[in-house]
């Protein structure tokens, strides 16, 4: 196949599993999942998230890998090719285009957070957090968020690190990342879990993560402020009104897409480099299980440490990992080494995910413009870097800049919202409809290597009816919620 010669192929299907897991496992698992669970009610959020992974994430992931392997090109050209093959409307290629932009948008804020993690490797290793209390850690964190020179240095460093791997190409770059980084990552997480069991409060952590209380997911407390606007409740609960909300549910759905790298072509691009003979369903289930286990292990380790320190709140938001863990590490024996290991691990995980964020766009530039991979990477990573500066400034000079066209959010929050809660679920919805309803069932069955298999029929049913309907329902309710 000529496309395989342009981009290369994974040397075997195990490398595909490692690379796709490398894409899936990242800041989403270690930074975002714990703080979202912490903010959105713990167990109930986790349950909805797991439900979304099983009924929407995995079926859509199989569809996305299948599209990539059938098209064998960048997501944009893969979609073009499959649209031509099926004689379908050209509008379907927008799945590919939306993915290129979603990848760019995610990369822009992803790289800022990864930059924080790199900074914390150094801060933790130097012993700065040893014995530090909540106030000292808080001021170190606040100091970093206001230090644009340092933030820019690490944002730039991470963009370059990612660019180099992408430019090296699939076999040399991405394949090597997968081969060496993933086993290290998994090992380090389990070391951290053992640390949580021995030194943290695992019972409280487990209770928080796995004991669902749906009222925490479905209700929020609001109050009317002095200007007559309804805002999140800030005072005592007696003065607040209880309101039904679907936003946390949409967040759980969006996070299922984000954490599995779905709905934007990253997995499609990786699928294009997959050997012909490998089994799509089995590899996808392996990736899904690895990703979920890693998120849960990270959550357990983090909350065991959080609950061992009463001054740390589980609802600490995006700063949870950076504000609370150093207090825990600083007050525990061996915390300097484990803390350094932890932030190194976060950086590595972010790195192997970030490469897949710009790969779809780079592959398209190489195919269509005949650019070499270095130039293509420079264009993509450079644009994300530039946009990322607005995300970086969202925590200092732009923190009050929440214009209407950004839905009243800071650039950082808007980029996250736009991608996780809108673009990825929509991309996933279209992928499910495309494979479930538009492609010829014979071709789909051939690609899955599963003609007539009962599991194939079940998957088709879920992809056609369950996944799109669930995404649609959550979307509509969340929309009504935000309009009312
Ligand atoms: N799955 C990554 C994470 O959990 O951190 C983030 C991500 C990577 C999202 C690649 C989307 C993507 F295409």
């Amino acid at each position: 196949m000529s496309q395989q010669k342009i981009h290369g192929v994974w040397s075997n299907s195990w490398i595909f599993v490692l690379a796709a897991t490398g894409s899936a496992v990242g800041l989403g698992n270690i930074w975002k999942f714990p703080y979202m669970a912490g903010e959105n009610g713990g167990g109930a959020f986790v349950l909805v998230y797991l439900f979304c992974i099983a009924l929407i994430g995995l079926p859509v992931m199989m569809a996305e890998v299948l599209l990539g392997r059938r098209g064998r090109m960048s997501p944009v050209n893969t979609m073009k090719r499959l649209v031509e093959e099926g004689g379908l409307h050209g509008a379907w290629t927008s799945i590919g285009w939306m993915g290129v932009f979603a990848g760019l948008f995610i990369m822009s804020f992803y790289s800022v957070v990864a930059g924080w993690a790199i900074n914390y490797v150094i801060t933790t290793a130097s012993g700065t957090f040893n014995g530090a209390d909540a106030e000292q850690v808080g001021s170190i964190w606040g100091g970093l968020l206001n230090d644009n020179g340092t933030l820019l240095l690490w944002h730039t460093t991470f963009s370059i690190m990612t660019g180099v791997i992408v430019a090296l190409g699939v076999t040399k770059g991405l394949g090597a990342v997968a081969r060496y980084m993933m086993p290290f990552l998994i090992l380090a997480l389990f070391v951290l879990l053992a640390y949580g069991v021995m030194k943290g409060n695992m019972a409280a952590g487990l209770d928080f993560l796995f004991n669902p209380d749906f009222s925490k997911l479905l209700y929020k407390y609001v109050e009317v402020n002095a200007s007559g606007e309804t805002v999140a409740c800030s005072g005592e609960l007696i003065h607040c009104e209880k309101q039904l909300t679907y936003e946390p549910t949409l967040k759980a759905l969006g996070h299922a897409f984000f954490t599995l790298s779905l709905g934007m072509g990253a997995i499609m691009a990786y699928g294009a480099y997959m050997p012909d003979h490998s089994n799509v369903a089995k590899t996808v289930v392996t990736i899904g299980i690895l990703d979920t286990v890693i998120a849960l292990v990270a959550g357990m380790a983090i909350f065991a440490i959080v609950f061992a320190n009463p001054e740390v709140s589980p609802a600490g938001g995006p700063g949870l990992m950076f504000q609370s863990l150093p207090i825990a590490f600083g007050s525990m024996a061996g915390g300097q080494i484990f803390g350094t290991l932890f932030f190194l691990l976060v950086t590595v995980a972010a790195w192997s995910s970030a490469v897949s964020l710009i790969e779809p766009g780079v592959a398209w530039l190489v195919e269509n413009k005949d650019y070499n991979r270095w130039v293509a990477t420079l264009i993509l990573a450079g644009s994300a870097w530039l946009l990322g500066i607005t995300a970086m400034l969202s925590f200092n000079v732009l923190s009050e800049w929440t214009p209407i066209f950004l839905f009243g959010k800071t650039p950082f929050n808007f980029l996250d919202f736009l991608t996780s809660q809108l673009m990825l679920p929509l991309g996933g919805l279209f992928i499910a409809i495309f494979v479930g309803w538009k492609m010829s069932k014979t071709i789909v069955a051939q690609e899955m290597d599963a003609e007539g298999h009962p599991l194939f029929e079940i998957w088709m049913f879920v992809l056609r009816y369950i996944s799109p309907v669930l995404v649609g329902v959550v979307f509509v309710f969340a929309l009504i919620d935000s309009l009312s």
Side-chain angles (χ1 to χ4, degrees):
M1 294 225 169
S2 60
Q3 314 66 243
Q4 290 187 15
K5 289 204 194 85
I6 303 180
H7 300 297
V9 190
W10 308 116
S11 36
N12 58 52
S13 19
W14 184 232
I15 297 290
F16 169 77
V17 172
L18 285 179
T21 309
S23 164
V25 176
L27 294 173
N29 305 61
I30 306 166
W31 162 72
K32 209 173 173 200
F33 170 72
Y35 95 70
M36 287 183 87
E39 275 186 336
N40 295 288
F45 177 89
V46 175
L47 207 64
V48 174
Y49 155 82
L50 291 175
F51 187 77
C52 291
I53 295 272
L55 278 185
I56 306 170
L58 294 183
V60 171
M61 194 175 199
M62 290 176 198
E64 199 173 323
V65 174
L66 180 148
L67 288 176
R69 201 175 59 173
R70 177 88 194 164
R72 288 266 179 237
M73 298 193 98
S74 67
V76 172
N77 287 331
T78 281
M79 288 313 297
K80 255 193 205 142
R81 180 174 273 205
L82 298 179
V83 158
E84 277 162 24
E85 186 181 70
L88 302 166
H89 196 283
W92 286 104
T93 50
S94 55
I95 294 179
W97 280 114
M98 195 163 76
V100 169
F101 286 99
L104 206 90
F105 295 158
I106 297 176
M107 180 59 189
S108 65
F109 70 87
Y110 207 80
S111 157
V112 171
V113 180
W116 298 341
I118 304 180
N119 183 270
Y120 266 50
V121 172
I122 296 162
T123 319
T124 315
S126 66
T128 311
F129 292 127
N130 292 354
D133 59 19
E135 207 185 319
Q136 286 160 325
V137 172
S139 80
I140 294 171
W141 168 243
L144 173 66
L145 287 187
N146 281 301
D147 181 355
N148 280 330
T150 306
L151 291 175
L152 190 64
L153 170 72
W154 298 127
H155 169 51
T156 310
T157 306
F158 186 78
S159 303
I160 295 173
M161 280 161 57
T162 306
V164 168
I165 298 289
V166 175
L168 285 173
V170 170
T171 35
K172 269 194 248 147
L174 305 184
V177 169
R179 198 188 298 243
Y180 297 111
M181 284 187 191
M182 283 312 296
F184 166 72
L185 183 71
I186 292 169
L187 191 76
L189 256 178
F190 277 92
V191 170
L192 212 69
L193 181 69
Y195 184 77
V197 170
M198 288 184 302
K199 310 269 172 150
N201 184 351
M202 190 52 87
L206 292 179
D207 184 60
F208 181 77
L209 275 177
F210 298 112
N211 194 0
D213 173 356
F214 280 92
S215 68
K216 287 194 192 149
L217 185 84
L218 292 172
Y219 293 99
K220 63 180 174 190
Y221 289 90
V222 291
E223 62 186 349
V224 178
N225 71 8
S227 356
E229 297 155 338
T230 307
V231 293
C233 180
S234 58
E236 283 184 39
L237 283 187
I238 338 168
H239 304 299
C240 302
E241 196 190 317
K242 195 175 172 188
Q243 230 180 41
L244 192 63
T245 174
Y246 296 103
E247 208 189 329
T249 310
L250 179 61
K251 282 187 179 163
L253 171 81
H255 190 64
F257 282 97
F258 187 88
T259 193
L260 290 176
S261 305
L262 287 186
M264 60 140 278
I267 291 298
M268 208 191 292
Y270 277 18
Y273 315 143
M274 195 178 181
D276 284 320
H277 53 270
S278 40
N279 181 310
V280 173
K282 268 193 206 144
T283 43
V284 164
V285 171
T286 312
I287 297 160
I289 291 176
L290 279 172
D291 186 77
T292 308
V293 167
I294 289 175
L296 295 178
V297 170
M300 287 189 273
I302 287 182
F303 284 112
I305 296 168
V306 166
F307 287 114
N309 292 267
E311 67 274 29
V312 182
S313 157
L320 179 72
M321 185 174 95
F322 298 98
Q323 260 177 308
S324 54
L325 289 188
I327 306 170
F329 289 133
S331 65
M332 291 173 178
Q336 186 174 344
I337 295 172
F338 281 108
T340 307
L341 175 71
F342 177 81
F343 288 113
L344 196 64
L345 159 76
V346 174
T347 306
V348 170
W351 195 11
S352 61
S353 296
V355 291
S356 70
L357 286 167
I358 50 176
E359 176 62 22
V362 168
W364 180 78
L365 283 177
V366 171
E367 286 161 6
N368 281 48
K369 305 280 170 204
D370 216 12
Y371 288 165
N372 89 21
R373 281 189 75 90
W374 288 91
V375 177
T377 305
L378 192 68
I379 296 172
L380 260 293
S383 317
W385 174 83
L386 208 60
L387 189 61
I389 292 179
T390 65
M392 182 187 103
L393 298 177
S394 296
F395 296 90
N396 48 67
V397 291
L398 293 184
S399 64
E400 303 288 314
W401 192 61
T402 51
I404 288 286
F405 69 91
L406 298 185
F407 290 57
K409 298 180 190 300
T410 60
F412 184 97
N413 286 341
F414 175 73
L415 287 164
D416 181 19
F417 165 79
L418 176 70
T419 50
S420 311
Q421 286 176 58
L422 298 179
M423 294 175 91
L424 302 188
L426 270 184
L429 176 69
F430 292 143
I431 287 171
I433 296 175
F434 188 82
V435 175
W437 294 95
K438 292 288 164 184
M439 271 175 86
S440 124
K441 198 172 166 188
T442 327
I443 293 183
V444 173
Q446 252 171 28
E447 282 294 330
M448 291 297 276
D449 199 12
E451 277 138 300
H453 197 292
L455 282 178
F456 173 74
E457 295 301 329
I458 295 176
W459 170 69
M460 262 319 237
F461 179 82
V462 174
L463 197 67
R464 282 185 156 190
Y465 300 99
I466 314 266
S467 318
V469 169
L470 282 179
V471 176
V473 166
V474 174
F475 247 94
V476 170
F477 276 100
L479 202 70
I480 295 172
D481 192 17
S482 63
L483 293 180
S484 59

